[in-house]
Amino acid sequence: MLKRWKKIMKAADDFTGLLNAGCDLSATTCLLGRIQVVYHGKDDESGHITCHMGKTAVDSDTESDPLWTHAMEFRLLVSKVLERVGPLWRAAMILSLSEQLAVLEQEQYSYTIEGDVFEEAQGEAREGILQKYDSFAGALMQLGLVGIWSQQPLIDGREMKSDDILPNVISGPIFREIMNEQMDWMTTHPGGSKESLVEHLRSVFDEFV
């Protein structure tokens, strides 16, 4: 239980940090641009992913629109938190929101504004916080981030060392870096093809080709 609580608290701090850094604006951009990552099927083996910008289908292998690129950078950033906290992300989000609302309430004791003016200012600030978190959570859903912690690699460790991919790769920290690069690419290219992934890895780690 203590371990779970620590995980929630750490993720809450991470969510707060992302929102304070302006990720709510990125979330709003994704929502307004109707950027969507949609999972079809029950699992990675039987299902597939489609990507959309409004009513337009997107090929994540090749799409270079700045709006899409920004959305995928945001997707990668948030995925790092979700991969650590997993299914406990909702609890972490609620904790982060509660802490921000508590800070707002405490601020009323640090200065005085008369009567209705103060109450109106507090109400607007509270509404602003709620809207930030609502946009952020909405973007997580729209970008298909819920469940990202269960994402499986397209290429396993044995296949990664095959002649067609990185035959000269060695074990150790660099191999972990390569596997992490694979997962990052998959996050920013949802539904991307294995062929494009191999091309990317062979380009980034060409010393092992």
Side-chain angles (χ1 to χ4, degrees), residues 129-194:
I129 292 173
L130 292 173
Q131 287 180 356
K132 284 172 61 173
Y133 277 83
D134 186 55
S135 295
F136 190 71
L140 300 195
M141 303 293 289
Q142 196 163 294
L143 292 177
L145 278 164
V146 177
I148 192 74
W149 51 87
S150 298
Q151 179 173 249
Q152 297 298 312
L154 287 173
I155 303 170
D156 63 25
R158 176 177 294 182
E159 186 180 5
M160 188 67 74
K161 299 177 181 180
S162 66
D163 292 341
D164 295 333
I165 306 179
L166 299 174
N168 299 315
V169 67
I170 57 177
S171 300
I174 188 63
F175 191 76
R176 172 49 50 191
E177 182 180 338
I178 290 169
M179 297 301 286
N180 288 340
E181 178 67 23
Q182 172 184 198
M183 301 307 288
D184 287 353
W185 185 92
M186 290 175 61
T187 300
T188 55
H189 298 77
S193 67
K194 187 174 181 178

Side-chain angles (χ1 to χ4, degrees), residues 55-204:
K55 296 182 179 180
T56 305
V58 170
D59 182 350
S60 66
D61 281 350
T62 59
E63 184 60 59
S64 60
D65 185 288
L67 180 58
W68 176 262
T69 301
H70 178 76
M72 292 303 101
E73 291 172 350
F74 170 72
R75 191 174 195 263
L76 178 62
L77 193 61
V78 178
S79 74
K80 299 300 183 182
V81 180
L82 294 177
E83 286 167 1
R84 290 192 293 268
V85 72
L88 299 173
W89 73 272
R90 289 183 178 85
M93 184 82 74
I94 292 171
L95 177 59
S96 174
L97 171 59
S98 299
E99 289 174 343
Q100 293 307 297
L101 291 175
V103 169
L104 179 63
E105 292 301 321
Q106 290 171 4
E107 288 178 353
Q108 66 178 302
Y109 300 109
S110 64
Y111 61 90
T112 301
I113 303 177
E114 291 186 3
D116 293 340
V117 176
F118 175 79
E119 291 182 3
E120 182 178 350
Q122 284 288 94
E124 290 177 354
R126 186 180 299 106
E127 182 63 26
I129 292 173
L130 292 173
Q131 287 180 356
K132 284 172 61 173
Y133 277 83
D134 186 55
S135 295
F136 190 71
L140 300 195
M141 303 293 289
Q142 196 163 294
L143 292 177
L145 278 164
V146 177
I148 192 74
W149 51 87
S150 298
Q151 179 173 249
Q152 297 298 312
L154 287 173
I155 303 170
D156 63 25
R158 176 177 294 182
E159 186 180 5
M160 188 67 74
K161 299 177 181 180
S162 66
D163 292 341
D164 295 333
I165 306 179
L166 299 174
N168 299 315
V169 67
I170 57 177
S171 300
I174 188 63
F175 191 76
R176 172 49 50 191
E177 182 180 338
I178 290 169
M179 297 301 286
N180 288 340
E181 178 67 23
Q182 172 184 198
M183 301 307 288
D184 287 353
W185 185 92
M186 290 175 61
T187 300
T188 55
H189 298 77
S193 67
K194 187 174 181 178
E195 291 76 16
S196 294
L197 170 58
V198 170
E199 182 180 350
H200 171 75
L201 293 174
R202 287 172 65 89
S203 173
V204 174

